Amino acid sequence: MWLMNFLPNWIFHIILLAGILGLVASFMLKFIPFISTYTLPIQVASILLLVAGVWFEGAISNQTAWETRVKEMQVKVAEAEAKSAEANSQIVTKIVKKTKRIHDKGDNIITYIDREVVKNNEVIKFVENCPIPEIIINTHNAAALNQPIETKK
Amino acid sequence: MRLIKLFILAMFIILAFLVTGCSTTVPVTAKFPSVPDTLLEKCPQLKTIEGEKISIIDYTKTVTINYTTYYECAVKTDAWTEWYQTQKSIFEEIRK
């Protein structure tokens, strides 16, 4: 609340204390001429101060509870942000490792094709006698590009 | 008596003025977690077979490369799922 940020808390404690003291004085110090003359106004003012004082005490207590929760939340958010960064770092490490493993396996297969498959007699015979039809290539390329197949008649 | 009425009226006006202006804004905001740059990279286009005379060797190589590309991209997609679940659980802990 803006007023509580604007004024120090002791002012609200004084308001409450003034209300209590005023009310007590209006009942117990009637032998003092000023109080006996203005008993009713003093009582009314004291009750109003008491009500305002109690209300502000409640507000201060509520404000303190909220401020404590806000501080707790700030700590939790900071911890969560640190955990989040750590998790990101772990995920990136995992991606790099897995990608490298997959890439290496792919390279190994390509190397195997260049080293072993090309020397295979059956393959050599197939390459010499059976060129891959254009329609197969077109179908493969269409699938690779996720495009419709262009039929040539 | 007129003085008392005036005083009471003034007190009510002051009290009414005091109870206004309660702020409900929570001053703590959690930033949306950042995503690793690796996850933001697009998956590459699959390779096509080009040329006049294509052998079964070239065909197999291209298919192998494309399968590798798929698996590399799948790693990123799986990482997105993992990233989301991890970040979700981390930020749900704040509310506990």
Side-chain angles (χ1 to χ4, degrees):
Chain A
M1 196 183 143
W2 65 272
L3 196 72
M4 289 171 66
N5 296 329
F6 181 66
L7 295 172
N9 283 354
W10 59 264
I11 287 180
F12 307 115
H13 300 319
I14 284 176
I15 289 172
L16 180 69
L17 199 68
I20 293 167
L21 289 178
L23 209 60
V24 170
S26 69
F27 284 109
M28 297 182 77
L29 302 175
K30 280 185 178 171
F31 56 86
I32 297 170
F34 175 80
I35 293 174
S36 61
T37 315
Y38 295 105
T39 305
L40 188 65
I42 288 171
Q43 282 176 345
V44 171
S46 299
I47 287 168
L48 288 172
L49 284 174
L50 191 70
V51 169
V54 168
W55 190 86
F56 274 112
E57 288 297 329
I60 288 167
S61 161
N62 188 40
Q63 181 84 355
T64 311
W66 272 107
E67 280 172 3
T68 312
R69 281 198 67 187
V70 165
K71 276 178 190 160
E72 279 173 16
M73 283 299 280
Q74 280 171 335
V75 171
K76 278 185 175 180
V77 166
E79 281 173 359
E81 281 172 356
K83 274 186 189 174
S84 165
E86 174 66 24
N88 273 4
S89 162
Q90 283 175 358
I91 288 169
V92 169
T93 311
K94 208 184 273 183
I95 293 169
V96 171
K97 276 184 186 172
K98 278 187 179 177
T99 308
K100 193 184 176 307
R101 213 180 301 148
I102 290 164
H103 197 80
D104 288 349
K105 281 179 188 171
D107 282 351
N108 284 346
I109 294 167
I110 298 287
T111 312
Y112 176 78
I113 292 167
D114 288 335
R115 197 184 61 227
E116 302 292 334
V117 177
V118 289
K119 290 177 189 167
N120 185 285
N121 288 332
E122 218 174 323
V123 175
I124 291 168
K125 216 180 277 178
F126 187 90
V127 170
E128 282 169 0
N129 301 318
C130 310
I132 295 178
E134 201 185 333
I135 193 167
I136 299 291
I137 303 299
N138 288 341
T139 309
H140 170 273
N141 289 350
L145 299 171
N146 192 27
Q147 282 176 354
I149 299 164
E150 289 170 19
T151 48
K152 288 177 186 174
K153 287 178 184 176
Chain B
M1 280 305 281
R2 193 181 289 173
L3 196 73
I4 295 167
K5 279 180 184 172
L6 220 91
F7 179 75
I8 291 169
L9 187 71
M11 287 304 284
F12 271 115
I13 291 168
I14 289 167
L15 274 175
F17 183 64
L18 292 180
V19 295
T20 57
C22 292
S23 171
T24 52
T25 314
V26 182
V28 186
T29 48
K31 274 195 291 177
F32 189 80
S34 59
V35 181
D37 290 339
T38 323
L39 286 180
L40 297 173
E41 288 167 9
K42 278 188 174 180
C43 285
Q45 183 66 57
L46 294 179
K47 230 180 144 189
T48 53
I49 303 164
E50 304 295 336
E52 283 298 307
K53 232 183 165 188
I54 308 294
S55 72
I56 189 75
I57 303 288
D58 300 322
Y59 189 89
T60 312
K61 274 186 187 176
T62 307
V63 169
T64 306
I65 291 166
N66 283 343
Y67 283 170
T68 307
T69 305
Y70 159 77
Y71 282 112
E72 283 174 355
C73 193
V75 166
K76 283 183 195 168
T77 314
D78 293 345
W80 264 111
T81 311
E82 189 187 343
W83 179 86
Y84 170 74
Q85 284 170 344
T86 311
Q87 300 296 341
K88 189 171 176 270
S89 73
I90 288 171
F91 279 84
E92 273 176 353
E93 275 176 32
I94 296 175
R95 291 182 191 172
K96 287 178 187 171

